[in-house]
Amino acid sequence: MTLPGIPLLLQSIVSGILIGGVYGLVAIGLTLIFGVMKIINFAHGSFMMLGMFTTYWLYVLLGIDPYLSLLLTIPLLFLFGLLVERFLIDKILDAPEHNQLLLTLGISLVIENLALFLWSPNFRTIDVSYANKATTLGPVMISFPKVVAFVFAIFLTTVLYYFLKNTDLGKAIRAASEEKEGALTVGINLKKIYYIAFGIGTACVGAAGTVAAPFFYVSPQVGGVFVITAFVVVVLGGMGNFLGALIGGLIIGLAESVGAAIIPGQLKQFIIYFIFILVLLFKPAGLFGKANA
Amino acid sequence: MFLLKVNNIDVFYGDAQVLHQVSLTVREKEIITIVGVNGAGKSTLLKTIGGILKAANGEIWFMDDRIDLLPSHQIVDKGLIRIPEGRKIFPTMTVLENLELGSYLPKAKVKRSESLEKVFDLFPVLKDREKQSSGTLSGGEQQMLAIGRGLMSLPKLLMLDEPSLGLAPLLVKQIFNTVREINVQGTTILLVEQNVFNALDMAAEGYVLENGRIVLEGKSQDLLTDEYIKEAYLGV
């Protein structure tokens, strides 16, 4: 272990926060689905990969700017998630947990292998002009696409938060996650809430894929990189806790980035799992979860 | 004219039959009560009427519609509202949000502000606490909130599942008075209670449910003086 100099430390703090916003958006999709449906969605990473590839192909084939493609990836992934819930997840909602786990894992295997078959396992990058653009702020270099990704992640999170807080549909989604029987008694159609929530969760991770695409490689198995981290974030923030997922994302982003500066080489994942184990041991309901949740 | 008619329903949990050939009729503007001990099947009956559980046999009619095959949100939309046992309010949401959700469906939503005013008239304490998260309310206030939320759905028939459960005697009296007032204002009531004396005292007619079967039914006054009821339920 070496102590990094101040410039390197500042650099890793900034990078960590920026990527943390994206982790947050991935985790919010996961935690929303879990909160409402009590389903742990192992297909989340493959949905992110679909978001990235949608952006990639829109850029390569039609020349659509990755950020502009958000206008397409969000509704497309929403619709995709909605259909997956409606026709697959819906069938196993009352099934034992291991069956649900197998189904979502199976969906992810199908999607990833289909992607491998169609698009090969090659790593691709989107060669937009601003991919490597950066500005320096004192000793710190700030990558343009990472800043944009962070801003979009925070913006989309805020929009979703506002939606859940202030609209009737948003309140119905929260009601369904808090008290199912209560939701039924006021006339909420839980089946509809489930596919909408699943669609929103999928759109979140798809959007995260889109904004990450300009600075990350695109490949059929890229989702796993983010989603394992997102699981840690969700547990850290408290399963089903919306703001916990965002703050957890920032914490994990920071820990990973600063950890990489302190601990050499390939060990940066070590920090994340170390935090994960500490949380499970000492605060299993998460930093912001209720003790009995 | 009848508002609700339940015809010979059988309800199962898995292989276990919980209700056997249950029938009942609720006429408009009445207060009807179903009494029985814990585990008799009272909540199951209300859940089945509300569409949360499905009957294996029999029919349920609400006004001119057969409703036993409808999903619960369509039953709520018709004005058949159930206030569940244990209140089932949304604990981290504010009192106001809970009430707003009572008027989630379009028909009720149109009258949201009007209904809110009525609920606050009936339960002024809810107005005082409208910004408070509902999990912090006392048991009595939570029951008022559950009833208020039910009223927001514009009930034609309000089904209350043990509204007195876990409340101090003074509060029980208050809740019963409120139920009577809601009825006077024109809403038909189907009340499920373990508090047999109070329930029968208030209702026009009563049904006694034992082990999933209706064992007695009739005018409340007759039931109150019935020897079996006196011995088994009133302890006199």
Side-chain angles (χ1 to χ4, degrees), chain B residues 1-4 25-33 62-63 155-158 179-191 202-205:
Chain B
M1 194 197 111
F2 81 86
L3 198 54
L4 176 75
T25 304
V26 181
R27 274 171 291 272
E28 239 173 316
K29 310 289 180 205
E30 278 183 339
I31 299 180
I32 301 294
T33 188
F62 185 60
M63 298 188 289
K156 293 192 176 77
L157 171 58
L158 193 63
V179 171
R180 199 173 277 129
E181 194 177 329
I182 292 167
N183 175 250
V184 168
Q185 288 174 9
T187 306
T188 311
I189 304 282
L190 178 57
L191 173 69
M202 181 164 75
E205 279 173 48

Side-chain angles (χ1 to χ4, degrees), chain A residues 164-165 168-169 171-172 174-176 178-190 192-193 290, chain B residues 47 52 72-73 76 81-82 84 88-93 97 100-105 109 112 149 153:
Chain A
L164 290 172
K165 198 85 191 159
D168 271 20
L169 184 57
K171 286 175 194 169
R174 283 160 57 211
E178 277 192 19
E179 176 49 74
K180 300 240 180 312
E181 198 188 335
L184 288 171
T185 63
V186 300
I188 291 171
N189 180 354
L190 280 184
K192 183 174 140 192
I193 294 298
K290 282 175 239 120
Chain B
K47 280 184 188 171
I52 298 201
S72 59
H73 61 274
V76 171
I81 311 299
R82 184 179 64 104
K88 311 290 181 194
I89 55 170
F90 310 118
T92 75
M93 302 177 79
E97 283 175 324
E100 284 171 347
L101 277 166
S103 55
Y104 173 72
L105 292 174
K109 192 174 174 175
R112 181 174 287 175
R149 187 180 66 182
S153 312

Side-chain angles (χ1 to χ4, degrees), chain B residues 206-224:
Chain B
Y207 292 83
V208 180
L209 198 60
E210 270 180 21
N211 297 319
R213 289 183 171 84
I214 302 281
V215 293
L216 263 179
E217 58 179 278
K219 297 263 173 253
S220 293
Q221 293 316 312
D222 300 340
L223 291 177
L224 276 169

Side-chain angles (χ1 to χ4, degrees), chain B residues 33-61:
Chain B
T33 188
I34 303 164
V35 296
V37 295
N38 217 350
K42 306 186 300 299
S43 295
T44 303
L45 177 55
L46 288 201
K47 280 184 188 171
T48 310
I49 298 171
I52 298 201
L53 297 171
K54 296 294 168 196
N57 303 301
E59 294 175 3
I60 304 171
W61 290 77

